[in-house]
Amino acid sequence: MSTPTPQRQRTAVVIGGGLAGITAALRLADADVRTTLVEARPRLGGLAFSFKRGDLTVDNGQHVFMRCCTAYRGLIDRLGAHDLTDLQDRLDVPVLGLAADGTRSLGRLRRAALPVPLHLAGSLATYRHLSPADRLRVVRGALALKGLRLDDPALDEISFGEWLRRHGQTPATVEAVWDLVGVATLNATADRTSTALAAKVFQTGLLSDPGAADIGTARVPLGEIHHDRARAELERAGVRVLLRAKAAELKAAEPHAVRLEGGELLTADTVVLAGAQDTAAALLPPGAVPGQERFADFGTAPILNVHVIYDRPLIRRPFFAAIGSPVQFVFDRTRHSGLDVPGAQYLAVSQSAVEDEIDLPVAELRDRYLPELARLLPAARDAKVLDFFVTRERTATFDPAPGTAALRPGARTDVPGILLAGSWTATGWPATMEGAVRSGHAAADAALAGTGRLPVDRADGRWPR
Ligand SMILES: Cc1cc2nc3c(=O)[nH]c(=O)nc-3n(C[C@H](O)[C@H](O)[C@H](O)COP(=O)(O)OP(=O)(O)OC[C@H]3O[C@@H](n4cnc5c(N)ncnc54)[C@H](O)[C@@H]3O)c2cc1C
């Protein structure tokens, strides 16, 4: 009787330790694939990370998620970090409006316990930043948006701004509703956004499940979840995590070979490229993905965060949005950062799609933003600024312009065993943590296809066990 030969353990190298790479590596390790994760930087978390500034722990940029971000929330659970996040019971966004004469008024975008789209009707009916006629226009626009088919390629050809105008929207509705949500989630104004991506955001977030848009945030610095927890969990799952390890070359062979800067050679049956599009363009073997020479055509869009520490508390809520002001969203970061100055408050102003400001000197940004914050928050006029600094992410997201969908590749390449992940790949989502995690699952699903391991159900973020 012959004894069965033990199956050789499959191997994988995941290049990139952002949320896409973390997800792919965990999935592969969970499926008994011997996995190495290489990350060029000294930390995991990619574009969603924290750093130290003296005693403060600072996030590179405020990150939020929504209840509908099932895959990201699934990863949070997988990392045992559920208790490190907050999720609103019901969507509630205070919107502070500033009129040209400096008058302030507070509106609220809140949801009620009613089915879609009535869950927002009450809030919209009393939304102070729109006239009654404009409120009706928003309802009509929302209903038209709800009816769009996301798989219609024509949607990626026109800008959301153009679509909104064709559907009766006014500059006021664009500012007070469509761009208020859209700029923060898509990192571009409606006129510069593909309708396909905008429709994805509004359909999923506001027009699907009533609770879909409830807002979640980390209650600790991002690094505690995306680096500390992720690293511990990866290592517990058996992943070899190499930091400060940049993949310099990928040779397609059997097995594939990844050369790190410094010379170390890693070989693996599966290689997941989980960096951004520039990493894929640099490392993919020629001809691996149709159109890969066009990856360079992907634009990018910046996000700026302006951090101000005041000697006194100025806001009581965790965050608010502003209209009629260059300020977009303001978050209270006091607790997260470990600020240890009695009575002081740390505010982070999160500014998306600020191509014209991203390279301005700090002094100029200070001259712009401090007076603006004082117009929005009168108590700031007498407050002392204890610290002021900025964080700039010049390539925070891909540019969601019309035509982007055609550039985004799926997880599979034409080279067996070489896969793509990253929020820039074809997830249907804009460049978000949710898109990143979904892409990691898609790459892992493709790598594990045919091995008897169940693909993950990304609709609810469940991890196969
Ligand atoms: C300021 C800011 C605010 C944001 N706000 C939000 C928000 O509120 N909500 C939201 O959902 N999303 C937000 N995003 C977007 C979100 O952070 C990203 O979409 C997501 O984190 C991308 O994850 P990723 O894994 O696809 O890519 P990345 O995070 O870019 O990770 C890729 C990793 O690969 C590594 N890498 C690249 N090349 C190599 C190589 N050759 N060898 C080894 N390693 C390599 C990189 O160092 C990097 O760590 C924000 C982004 C920024 C910058």
Side-chain angles (χ1 to χ4, degrees):
M1 216 172 83
S2 65
T3 43
T5 33
Q7 270 200 339
R8 184 179 67 82
Q9 192 182 17
R10 291 171 58 82
T11 52
V13 171
V14 176
I15 299 173
L19 297 174
I22 291 168
T23 304
L26 272 176
R27 281 285 312 286
L28 290 166
D30 284 353
D32 202 28
V33 178
R34 187 148 47 83
T35 304
T36 303
L37 173 63
V38 300
E39 166 53 55
R41 298 184 199 173
R43 46 161 183 74
L44 299 173
L47 286 165
F49 70 98
S50 314
F51 62 93
K52 290 296 270 186
R53 177 183 166 90
D55 291 337
L56 277 192
T57 309
V58 177
D59 281 359
N60 67 317
Q62 175 66 46
H63 277 67
V64 305
F65 59 93
M66 298 192 291
R67 192 182 291 279
C68 61
C69 295
T70 49
Y72 177 69
R73 291 175 54 220
L75 175 65
I76 291 294
D77 289 347
R78 176 69 179 76
L79 299 180
H82 177 80
D83 293 346
L84 304 184
T85 60
D86 287 320
L87 182 58
Q88 292 180 331
D89 292 335
R90 282 204 195 156
L91 173 73
D92 186 0
V93 182
V95 184
L96 193 53
L98 200 54
D101 65 359
T103 319
R104 303 173 328 129
S105 59
L106 186 66
R108 302 276 284 274
L109 286 174
R110 274 188 288 194
R111 79 167 168 97
L114 290 169
V116 174
L118 298 177
H119 66 314
L120 292 175
S123 164
L124 203 56
T126 56
Y127 189 47
R128 302 171 68 142
H129 304 311
L130 287 179
S131 66
D134 273 342
R135 292 174 200 160
L136 268 182
R137 285 190 180 94
V138 170
V139 173
R140 279 194 220 109
L143 291 176
L145 203 52
K146 191 167 190 290
L148 291 180
R149 287 196 41 193
L150 292 180
D151 57 359
D152 177 359
L155 290 188
D156 191 45
E157 285 163 19
I158 65 162
S159 78
F160 188 42
E162 180 56 34
W163 187 93
L164 288 171
R165 279 187 288 278
R166 286 185 199 168
H167 289 80
Q169 301 304 302
T170 59
T173 63
V174 172
E175 184 192 16
V177 175
W178 304 111
D179 267 354
L180 182 83
V181 178
V183 169
T185 47
L186 292 148
N187 203 15
T189 54
D191 274 329
R192 300 189 55 176
T193 300
S194 150
T195 301
L197 281 169
K200 172 73 187 168
V201 165
F202 284 98
Q203 279 193 3
T204 312
L206 293 177
L207 302 166
S208 58
D209 184 80
D214 301 343
I215 289 177
T217 50
R219 45 164 60 210
V220 294
L222 288 172
E224 265 187 47
I225 302 176
H226 298 163
H227 174 77
D228 301 349
R229 288 288 172 116
R231 184 173 189 177
E233 203 50 38
L234 284 160
E235 290 181 346
R236 191 170 305 130
V239 177
R240 181 179 174 225
V241 179
L242 302 180
L243 300 178
R244 295 190 176 85
K246 182 169 182 185
E249 195 185 357
L250 165 60
K251 274 216 173 94
E254 283 185 31
H256 302 305
V258 176
R259 189 176 54 77
L260 302 183
E261 266 183 16
E264 187 179 348
L265 199 67
L266 306 171
T267 56
D269 307 308
T270 298
V271 175
V272 179
L273 286 166
Q277 58 272 32
D278 54 342
T279 303
L283 295 181
L284 269 182
V289 176
Q292 72 191 63
E293 53 296 331
R294 289 191 64 207
F295 288 172
D297 294 350
F298 262 97
T300 54
I303 298 179
L304 173 76
N305 273 240
V306 172
H307 308 256
V308 194
I309 298 179
Y310 290 98
D311 66 347
R312 64 195 69 182
L314 300 183
I315 64 173
R316 275 177 289 127
R317 296 179 191 285
F319 70 93
F320 71 91
I323 58 172
S325 160
V327 167
Q328 294 172 12
F329 278 83
V330 177
F331 291 84
D332 180 0
R333 301 289 311 169
T334 312
R335 183 169 46 98
H336 316 69
S337 64
L339 177 67
D340 193 16
V341 180
Q345 191 173 46
Y346 168 5
L347 300 184
V349 184
S350 177
Q351 299 290 102
S352 299
V354 280
E355 285 79 4
D356 51 341
E357 290 193 340
I358 193 72
D359 289 317
L360 289 182
V362 177
E364 207 166 316
L365 291 167
R366 187 181 169 113
D367 289 348
R368 247 176 220 214
Y369 279 96
L370 289 184
E372 203 50 42
L373 286 167
R375 278 186 351 117
L376 285 163
L377 306 168
R381 289 172 203 157
D382 301 321
K384 199 168 153 203
V385 173
L386 303 180
D387 195 3
F388 182 100
F389 58 99
V390 301
T391 44
R392 310 170 200 263
E393 292 288 355
R394 291 180 177 80
T395 56
T397 66
F398 65 79
D399 180 0
T404 309
L407 297 174
R408 299 174 78 184
R412 287 174 194 273
T413 72
D414 287 346
V415 183
I418 297 186
L419 300 152
L420 294 175
S423 60
W424 66 285
T425 58
T427 64
W429 285 71
T432 50
M433 302 190 287
E434 175 71 6
V437 174
R438 281 175 180 254
S439 77
H441 281 306
D445 285 346
L448 297 172
T451 62
R453 299 284 173 169
L454 283 179
V456 75
D457 177 356
R458 286 184 298 281
D460 68 9
R462 269 185 305 124
W463 287 67
R465 287 281 175 191

